[in-house]
Amino acid sequence: TVAQDLDKIVEAVKKFVEDVNAAQSSMNASTRFNSDTLAKGILFGDSTVENVRGRLTNVFFSRFEPGGDQFGSLSSVGLSIGSNHTLEFDEEKFREAYAQSPEQIEALFTDEEGGIGVAMEETLDALTGESGIIPGKTELLDGQKELMNDRIAALSKLLDGKRARLERQFAGLE
């Protein structure tokens, strides 16, 4: 017999949730701010992170035609956004939805025209692709780093000249 293995499907959805939450955790760590110690994450205040979060959240709140009216959103199959932008999975709700309409649930995730897989791929491509916002930000930061290094080199040269001049003046005074 050939049959769907719902447990494997549930595990795949759990893995998806874990991967999304790992990315969110990394973004949270990079943008953290501790008001007691005033310690900041390396990307604290960077709008690019919020842009990435916003785009991912838009995908999670979108409606998907392949799921139909009843199962056209991730929340209808047990996926929701929780605290700290994490994705939460209600396995029982998912199993109930899958029992009602396995074809629609599968289409919601895998349809090549308008499923969540395509939406995630398009979103991630817009974020990380050759002309995406993350490579654009990386290029911008690399340019700023190069300018800062040039400025440091120029100031070092200027300071070396001033030091040499002051040493000559001091030697002349002695």
Side-chain angles (χ1 to χ4, degrees):
T1 61
V2 177
Q4 289 288 351
D5 187 349
L6 183 56
D7 291 334
K8 286 199 183 218
I9 294 170
V10 167
E11 289 305 313
V13 174
K14 283 181 180 178
K15 176 71 171 128
F16 171 72
V17 169
E18 286 174 16
D19 291 345
V20 168
N21 288 342
Q24 290 293 0
S25 178
S26 177
M27 286 187 274
N28 289 341
S30 298
T31 59
R32 76 185 180 288
F33 176 73
N34 184 325
S35 59
D36 295 332
T37 64
L38 302 179
K40 300 175 187 174
I42 192 166
L43 296 175
F44 177 75
D46 190 329
S47 63
T48 305
V49 176
E50 291 309 314
N51 193 344
V52 168
R53 277 192 177 136
R55 288 184 184 207
L56 289 174
T57 301
N58 284 343
V59 172
F60 299 137
F61 285 122
S62 295
R63 298 244 353 122
F64 300 95
E65 286 295 319
D69 291 338
Q70 188 176 7
F71 301 114
S73 68
L74 291 180
S75 62
S76 65
V77 296
L79 290 164
S80 60
I81 301 289
S83 62
N84 289 326
H85 308 281
T86 58
L87 196 56
E88 295 177 350
F89 179 52
D90 182 343
E91 183 177 336
E92 185 177 319
K93 188 173 182 178
F94 181 84
R95 286 179 182 275
E96 287 172 8
Y98 194 86
Q100 285 181 5
S101 184
E103 297 83 19
Q104 280 184 311
I105 305 304
E106 289 172 16
L108 174 67
F109 285 93
T110 63
D111 187 84
E112 292 182 13
E113 297 291 319
I116 183 144
V118 170
M120 284 296 293
E121 186 175 347
E122 289 172 356
T123 299
L124 292 174
D125 203 35
L127 294 171
T128 62
E130 192 173 310
S131 60
I133 64 169
I134 293 174
K137 184 67 170 194
T138 301
E139 188 176 318
L140 174 73
L141 291 174
D142 286 345
Q144 288 177 343
K145 179 182 168 186
E146 189 175 319
L147 287 173
M148 293 294 179
N149 284 337
D150 291 348
R151 181 80 174 134
I152 288 169
L155 288 173
S156 291
K157 187 175 180 180
L158 180 68
L159 287 174
D160 288 344
K162 283 188 177 191
R163 180 180 184 169
R165 182 176 51 88
L166 289 172
E167 285 176 350
R168 283 192 307 274
Q169 284 178 344
F170 182 75
L173 290 173
E174 278 197 341

